[in-house]
Amino acid sequence: MKSNKTLLTTLLSMGLLASAGASQAAGWCESGKPVKFAGLNWESAMLLTDVMQLVLEKGYDCKTDSLPGNSITMENALGSNDIQVFAEEWVGRSEVWNKAEKAGKVVGVGAPVVGAVEGWYVPRYVIEGDAKRKLEAKTPDLKNIADLGKYAAVFKDAEEPSKGRFYNCPAGWTCELDNSEMLKSYGLESTYTNFRPGTGPALDAAVLSSYKRGEPILFYYWSPTPLMGQVDVVKLEEKPGVNKTVTIKVGLSKTFHDEAPELVAVLEKVNVPIDLLNQNLARMTKERIESPKLAKIFLKEHPEVWHAWVSEDAAKKIDAAL
């Protein structure tokens, strides 16, 4: 009787072990776990996120979700595996990311966007004038950020007229912290207010309204974005030796990276040519198309781009779903 009990216990243990092994081998989505994305709030990241979610849902039968939050909050969530995917991580920009990467909590893969740029901009008419609009050049010698000190009156802050106004990123964005440090390093803190719009669209609205009126404005911006296709602006040069090469990767939690290799193999291939991305972002704004809808349109119109990311079976499933 004792030997029978021992045998039964052994068989049960073996069964449990086999079950656990099968579950582990089943893969992330097959085991029922959702893939949680950072719900980022700038246009290119929104579109990339929605495209990736559709690819995983329709091609690999994954459940996906997106959690809204600013970039710093989402990077923290990535490091703790509360989310698994950060679709557009500007690598090296964020101390949160850098520390998490050094600690082995996050991994950057692929190159979803190549050729991105960022910097401080002014409208071209501020430097060169615009005869058609009867606008005179107000800062003819302005080339570098270091030159801004003598032009604070040109970019006058309506709420604090003794200073110029610099339009920073919204609070909570990684670039907001970087730009604030730059104001200090260039000695501009005493002559410019560090103005932080509440949202990305609020920054866009400020730039476009000033541009339409032909008024001077100094602002941080980046590409790929729809706005950069609507305005003629000049990027101010930085100090010699400053390297502003932008590297963008798909940010993954280390847990997801290690446990979902079949999905990582897809995400590391994601790449949208920057000109095509800018065209779609401009379309988003011009036609007022919500990002989830535009993601479906993009997949339907550009199979030549995304078929290279996925398996043949997944491509067929996605095409059928569209």
Side-chain angles (χ1 to χ4, degrees):
M1 190 72 174
K2 185 178 178 181
S3 62
N4 286 342
K5 284 184 178 178
T6 303
L7 179 61
L8 182 61
T9 302
T10 303
L11 288 170
L12 284 169
S13 298
M14 288 175 65
L16 288 171
L17 287 170
S19 174
S23 174
Q24 200 169 27
W28 190 279
C29 294
E30 289 88 341
S31 64
K33 290 186 286 188
V35 182
K36 297 177 184 175
F37 284 74
L40 304 172
N41 58 356
W42 63 93
E43 292 96 336
S44 57
M46 288 164 59
L47 184 58
L48 286 170
T49 297
D50 288 323
V51 166
M52 290 181 200
Q53 283 189 252
L54 277 171
V55 166
L56 296 192
E57 287 173 7
K58 305 304 183 185
Y60 295 87
D61 300 320
C62 295
K63 295 176 183 175
T64 73
D65 194 6
S66 63
L67 304 179
N70 63 48
S71 56
I72 293 173
T73 302
M74 289 294 98
E75 285 167 337
N76 276 311
L78 194 71
S80 58
N81 195 41
D82 290 324
I83 63 170
Q84 285 75 52
V85 184
F86 193 111
E88 189 184 314
E89 176 62 49
W90 290 45
V91 174
R93 287 288 312 280
S94 163
E95 278 306 305
V96 174
W97 170 270
N98 293 342
K99 288 177 182 177
E101 187 178 40
K102 191 174 181 180
K105 295 180 179 179
V106 298
V107 179
V109 302
V113 183
V114 176
V117 294
E118 62 174 334
W120 291 19
Y121 292 86
V122 299
R124 187 174 301 277
Y125 57 72
V126 174
I127 299 173
E128 300 177 8
D130 186 339
K132 290 182 180 178
R133 300 176 68 184
K134 298 180 180 178
L135 299 173
E136 294 182 3
K138 296 187 176 181
T139 61
D141 301 322
L142 179 59
K143 292 182 179 178
N144 307 295
I145 292 175
D147 299 332
L148 286 168
K150 62 184 179 182
Y151 289 121
V154 173
F155 303 101
K156 185 169 69 174
D157 187 332
E159 296 176 13
E160 200 170 346
S162 63
K163 291 185 174 184
R165 173 179 286 194
F166 167 64
Y167 281 85
N168 200 338
C169 300
W173 288 19
T174 302
C175 49
E176 183 262 326
L177 300 175
D178 288 348
N179 289 327
S180 297
E181 286 301 314
M182 283 176 63
L183 276 173
K184 293 178 186 176
S185 70
Y186 280 95
L188 299 172
E189 253 192 332
S190 61
T191 50
Y192 283 83
T193 58
N194 186 2
F195 186 82
R196 303 165 180 87
T199 63
L203 175 59
D204 292 358
V207 173
L208 287 172
S209 62
S210 293
Y211 193 86
K212 288 174 182 175
R213 292 195 298 266
E215 295 174 349
I217 183 169
L218 169 66
F219 62 100
Y220 166 87
Y221 221 81
W222 69 99
S223 175
T225 51
L227 180 115
M228 294 303 263
Q230 301 175 59
V231 293
D232 184 10
V233 293
V234 175
K235 182 175 179 287
L236 300 180
E237 297 174 11
E238 295 195 39
K239 295 173 183 175
V242 173
N243 182 6
K244 276 292 186 177
T245 302
V246 177
T247 301
I248 296 177
K249 292 185 177 291
V250 180
L252 305 175
S253 72
K254 185 64 163 59
T255 301
F256 180 77
H257 177 269
D258 292 349
E259 295 182 10
E262 73 286 357
L263 302 182
V264 175
V266 175
L267 296 174
E268 67 186 4
K269 293 176 186 170
V270 171
N271 173 266
V272 180
I274 193 165
D275 289 343
L276 182 60
L277 183 55
N278 276 326
Q279 289 168 20
N280 277 270
L281 296 178
R283 184 176 180 181
M284 182 191 290
T285 300
K286 187 177 180 180
E287 300 178 26
R288 297 183 180 180
I289 305 173
E290 294 293 326
S291 179
K293 182 179 179 181
L294 185 59
K296 291 180 181 178
I297 295 171
F298 173 82
L299 291 173
K300 194 169 184 177
E301 293 183 352
H302 297 285
E304 78 284 357
V305 173
W306 62 266
H307 272 203
W309 312 341
V310 301
S311 68
E312 190 176 339
D313 286 345
K316 289 177 181 176
K317 289 168 71 174
I318 295 166
D319 280 327
L322 298 173

